[in-house]
Amino acid sequence: GAYSLGINTMLCLSGDHPKFGDHATAKSVYDLDSVQLVRMVQKMRDEGKFQGGADIDCPPKMFVGAASNPFAEPFDLRVSRLAKKIKAGADFVQTQCIFNLDKFEKFMEMVCDRGLNEKVYLLAGITPMKSAGMAKYMKNKVPGMDVPDEVIKRLEGVSKAEQPEEGIKIAVESIQRLKEVKGVHGFHIMAIEWEEKVPQIVEKAGLFPRPAVENL
């Protein structure tokens, strides 16, 4: 369906539990987990087979993506979970929003120790904070998020009117630091209900014009 409309990139997610959405009583569906979904799309593309075994006349040439949360517990299993998605067929991976840069750098060391950085394109997730209130909400209410107290204190250290610009500065500084981390191939900028700020962040972080990259 999607491929017939010209869409050639698919991000395979299991999604959050319904209780975190606006239909909290909806029933979860567990027919496939995210690893199995990646494998299903990869099989459709490379083997020309539906999951049930039927042939596909025109296999969808999808660039298959997956997500990774470097901050979920248990931390030591995060890289193994990523490895499963890569083995299943993920071509690229985008991470959860990164605010704890020290922990993410440790995660990337573990990724590189296993050679996974040579098997997949990894995009580091960046989200600019609009305010200290947003930072507190993400720290306390959003599952799998790791927002250090230092980030909140920095935002609280300026006036409310200045907090949006300070949030952009933090995002830009994060990108500039993570550019130097081995295994990071690019960035996924998630400006939540603030999409108009993406060009500003990209420009200030030196991501435009886009750099030339080599195929894996």
Side-chain angles (χ1 to χ4, degrees):
Y3 185 69
S4 68
L5 297 175
I7 298 171
N8 57 14
T9 302
M10 179 178 289
L11 179 64
C12 300
L13 304 173
S14 56
D16 292 329
H17 193 282
K19 70 180 181 181
F20 297 114
D22 55 4
H23 290 76
T25 59
K27 185 177 180 180
S28 298
V29 178
Y30 298 108
D31 290 347
L32 295 172
D33 64 19
S34 56
V35 177
Q36 292 168 326
L37 182 58
V38 168
R39 172 57 182 149
M40 182 185 75
V41 179
Q42 185 266 350
K43 184 176 181 180
M44 292 170 65
R45 179 191 68 190
D46 296 346
E47 300 177 24
K49 296 283 187 181
F50 285 111
Q51 189 178 24
D55 292 331
I56 301 175
D57 293 335
C58 182
K61 301 304 180 183
M62 285 289 185
F63 192 55
V64 185
S68 177
N69 185 354
F71 310 107
E73 295 296 340
F75 177 70
D76 290 342
L77 297 183
R78 292 298 92 203
V79 175
S80 294
R81 178 73 172 168
L82 173 62
K84 288 182 179 180
K85 293 183 178 183
I86 295 172
K87 184 177 180 180
D91 300 306
F92 74 95
V93 171
Q94 59 189 49
T95 76
Q96 177 64 283
C97 311
I98 301 166
F99 301 105
N100 188 335
L101 274 64
D102 292 339
K103 192 169 185 178
F104 178 73
E105 288 174 345
K106 175 60 178 176
F107 169 79
M108 288 306 302
E109 287 179 11
M110 297 162 65
V111 168
C112 293
D113 286 345
R114 294 184 58 169
L116 300 178
N117 57 304
E118 299 178 357
K119 299 178 180 180
V120 74
Y121 294 102
L122 193 142
L123 307 179
I126 299 293
T127 293
M129 297 286 200
K130 291 182 179 180
S131 65
M134 177 180 176
K136 291 177 182 178
Y137 180 87
M138 295 185 78
K139 177 182 178 69
N140 298 317
K141 300 294 185 179
V142 181
M145 198 69 67
D146 187 340
V147 182
D149 291 335
E150 291 76 12
V151 173
I152 297 173
K153 290 178 181 177
R154 178 171 168 180
L155 289 166
E156 290 179 330
V158 299
S159 68
K160 285 189 176 181
E162 295 173 315
Q163 286 179 10
E165 186 60 33
E166 193 67 21
I168 290 175
K169 288 180 182 178
I170 293 172
V172 170
E173 291 169 10
S174 297
I175 291 172
Q176 291 172 336
R177 175 171 164 180
L178 296 178
K179 279 182 184 179
E180 307 303 319
V181 175
K182 182 180 178 181
V184 173
H185 295 89
F187 297 91
H188 175 219
I189 301 176
M190 298 169 276
I192 303 170
E193 297 184 0
W194 213 19
E195 291 81 5
E196 67 274 13
K197 294 297 182 181
V198 172
Q200 179 182 342
I201 295 169
V202 168
E203 185 174 353
K204 287 187 174 182
L207 297 178
F208 185 82
R210 297 178 65 179
V213 296
E214 297 180 2
N215 292 330
L216 288 176

